[in-house]
Amino acid sequence: MSLPPPLMAMLLLAVATAPRVLAAGDDGGIAAHPAYADAAGTCGPASAAPAAAEARRLEEYDDGRIVDITHAYRPELPAVGPDGLGPVVFQTMSMANGSICNLSELRMVVHAGTHIDTPGHMIQEHFEAGLDADKLDLAVLNGPALLVDVPRNTNITAEAMEFLKIPKGVRRVLFRTLNTDRKLMWEKEGDLSYVGFTEDGAQWLVDNTDIKLVGVDYLSVAAFDHLISAHVVFFKNPDIIPVEGLKLDDVPVGVYNLHCLPLRLVGAEGSPVRCILIK
Ligand SMILES: *[C@@H]1O[C@H](CO)[C@@H](O)[C@H](O)[C@H]1NC(C)=O
Ligand SMILES: *[C@@H]1O[C@H](CO)[C@@H](O)[C@H](O)[C@H]1NC(C)=O
Ligand SMILES: *[C@@H]1O[C@H](CO)[C@@H](O)[C@H](O)[C@H]1NC(C)=O
């Protein structure tokens, strides 16, 4: 069989390069994840390691740039009363007991740990209008955010807000307070002397800033003495989303990309949320 020279060259090129592509998994220096060891053994070339560029992309976020600002759902998380949150994950099927798998149920108040509130939490018309956890605006929950330190000798009053001088245009602010210094989220017994917004502080924020996401470091955005009134100031503006119970320990003040993803709980006036910062 004789082929015209150009075709012959193409064929040679294909034969010469193919083995190198297939061998990349062996000598590419990129080990398969141990969890996929079996698959690599049985699936041949299809499980070859990702190309270098792809591998770099996969590792991109693995360099300490992600800060998890969500509290783990431990039974010792604070709740109203002395006993803490208690267990939230209940195993209902156990392989140790002869079941075909281990299976657990989640049972908890939707305002436990790191969570969001919806306007229907305290305003009946908003609840009836269906402003539930499923309707929250992901564009508010994700984007650039500012972490600030509130002076430690005060609740978040109008005066404190004025002092903080948060520039117009800033839409997401995480307020770190005395609560973090006191490690209140690490105390199982609920502590009603926590710092939060007073009614005039909440009103000042609504009147003088563009803030739509209000993050705080204890279970309530409102100080206990203003529990309903400060919440209602926020909830009257259904585009404002309070994010409560954030874990802001040891995070440097500054600007981050915030990502908060609540669960799509239809009909619920709150939801647990996973929030992370990316430096
Ligand atoms: C299943 O749950 C039991 C406890 O009921 C535990 O001892 C066991 O390690 C679990 N098995 C797996 C595969 O997770
Ligand atoms: C497994 O069996 C033990 C002993 O009867 C029991 O205490 C435990 O609650 C069971 N666990 C589940 C998940 O069924
Ligand atoms: C904040 O207000 C609460 C009452 O809502 C109070 O117990 C607490 O002492 C105040 N904290 C500061 C730092 O002023």
Side-chain angles (χ1 to χ4, degrees), residues 25-26 31-49:
D26 303 330
H33 189 281
Y36 298 116
D38 274 0
T42 54
C43 298
S47 68

Side-chain angles (χ1 to χ4, degrees), residues 164-177:
L164 287 172
K165 295 195 174 48
I166 295 163
K168 278 270 188 187
V170 173
R171 299 186 70 211
R172 302 169 197 83
V173 179
L174 311 181
F175 295 89
R176 179 167 49 202
T177 73

Side-chain angles (χ1 to χ4, degrees), residues 91 93-97 101-104:
Q91 196 175 4
M93 284 171 70
S94 162
M95 293 172 83
N97 289 7
C101 63
N102 284 347
L103 194 76
S104 301

